[in-house]
Amino acid sequence: MSLASFFLILPAFLLLMVLVDLSTNEAQTQEATLNSHEVLGVATDLETNLPFIGREVIRDKSLEVVNSGIPLSNSRKEVKEEFQNRMDKYCSKYADKGVFVECIILKVDNSYDPFCVEVKSKITVEKGTLKHNVNLTQNISLTNGSFPIYDPLPFVKCRGHGGATINEERISYGSSLANYLQSRGIKNYEAYENATSPLSIKKCPYDPYILHGNTNELVNLKNCIDNGFYHESNDGACFLCRLEGKGICSHYGMETFIIPAPTISPCMNNSSTAPSSVDHVIFNDTGHGTYSGHPILYFSSENHYFSLYLDNSHRQKYGVPIF
């Protein structure tokens, strides 16, 4: 090949090298883009599914306590450990796709909203040279009609006293609650023979709570009781402490009504009292936390009369007449 011929084909050779280089770079760019989309998609998938898996864990831990009557010794730790086990299993499905996925559950604790549990986690997703990290703080709702979470507290407190049972959407106490109160020396425990209370956690829509009492014939109060709603409370136990069998705790919690069985005659004697029909009052076995309330008739039908016993503090909270 002459020198002239070499210089003639050199531009074509250089152009070919540039085209090959551009093609390689384009392929690498496309691969990086695809990997980036996949990595972000996996991270989004984890972020979306974390609350659902967390609800399953909380539901299962609650059912464990409901079925056994034995409280968890450290609910935050036990929920966190089980949550981690399930996230490890969930993340492992990506290994066959060449993606490294890790989700570390950092903390399970109370939320500012007592009808939620707060979870902090760290997600890591890697593929090739791409790595994506994100720290999350998410609230897991305890209230969902299609995915109910049961209140474990009554089953812990009544274990050894006859036991509470599930009757459709309510907890039936039979003689167990009266036996529990009698064992603590509480007066007029008989008022809670055959009492009932809500089974699953449902947030009351009558907010502010004085709306319970400011309707004719206490219709809102009756609707609240019939639907088994729970209310925010400075005195009631949070859900995580309920898993530990605590009737009260230092956290911002919730409360619900425990409903005495209907009577065949109205409680017209205003001097009659019984333990106030709020769960944290009845289940407060730390000292003198179970105090009395006076009866309030909220519904009657033929010869059946439905009453609650409420102290003045709770009467004021729910907008019913002060005794």
Side-chain angles (χ1 to χ4, degrees), residues 288-302:
H288 301 287
T290 299
Y291 42 84
S292 295
H294 291 271
I296 178 168
L297 179 69
Y298 67 88
F299 181 68
S300 62
S301 176
E302 297 180 352

Side-chain angles (χ1 to χ4, degrees), residues 244-291:
E244 298 173 358
K246 298 174 182 175
I248 59 169
C249 67
S250 60
H251 312 107
Y252 189 51
M254 61 183 77
E255 67 184 30
T256 192
F257 297 119
I258 295 182
I259 315 303
T263 58
I264 58 174
S265 60
C267 297
M268 299 304 294
N269 182 4
N270 286 333
S271 64
S272 65
T273 63
S276 190
S277 303
V278 181
D279 64 346
H280 72 80
V281 178
I282 286 179
F283 291 133
N284 185 350
D285 50 13
T286 61
H288 301 287
T290 299
Y291 42 84

Side-chain angles (χ1 to χ4, degrees), residues 33-195:
T33 301
L34 290 173
N35 286 347
S36 176
H37 288 163
E38 184 175 8
V39 165
L40 292 177
V42 171
T44 300
D45 175 62
L46 284 175
E47 183 174 350
T48 300
N49 282 284
L50 263 165
F52 294 103
I53 296 171
R55 278 184 60 81
E56 289 179 352
V57 172
I58 292 170
R59 176 201 61 188
D60 292 349
K61 285 296 179 183
S62 175
L63 285 173
E64 178 184 318
V65 176
V66 166
N67 291 330
S68 68
I70 301 173
L72 303 183
S73 59
N74 186 333
S75 62
R76 291 156 182 81
K77 178 176 180 290
E78 293 182 50
V79 170
K80 176 178 175 290
E81 289 176 348
E82 180 58 27
F83 202 170
Q84 186 65 66
N85 290 337
R86 298 194 190 187
M87 290 312 302
D88 289 344
K89 183 177 180 180
Y90 189 85
C91 291
S92 67
K93 71 178 185 178
Y94 290 101
D96 293 339
K97 301 178 181 180
V99 184
F100 171 79
V101 182
E102 182 180 57
C103 177
I104 300 175
I105 305 301
L106 301 172
K107 189 177 183 180
V108 172
D109 209 342
N110 297 78
S111 169
Y112 64 89
D113 181 349
F115 292 96
C116 294
V117 172
E118 184 181 271
V119 175
K120 293 185 178 182
S121 61
K122 179 181 179 181
I123 292 174
T124 300
V125 183
E126 295 182 42
K127 184 168 186 180
T129 59
L130 291 176
K131 182 176 182 179
H132 178 73
N133 290 317
V134 60
N135 291 318
L136 297 174
T137 298
Q138 295 172 293
N139 281 327
I140 298 176
S141 175
L142 300 170
T143 59
N144 187 318
S146 61
F147 198 121
I149 293 179
Y150 295 166
D151 184 356
L153 182 61
F155 298 91
V156 175
K157 294 298 187 183
C158 291
R159 177 174 176 261
H161 300 284
T165 58
I166 296 175
N167 184 7
E168 296 182 350
E169 290 297 312
R170 298 194 68 80
I171 298 172
S172 295
Y173 292 96
S175 297
S176 64
L177 185 55
N179 292 340
Y180 163 76
L181 292 170
Q182 183 183 23
S183 72
R184 292 173 46 210
I186 303 299
K187 294 180 179 179
N188 298 330
Y189 60 85
E190 303 93 342
Y192 290 94
E193 189 75 33
N194 294 317

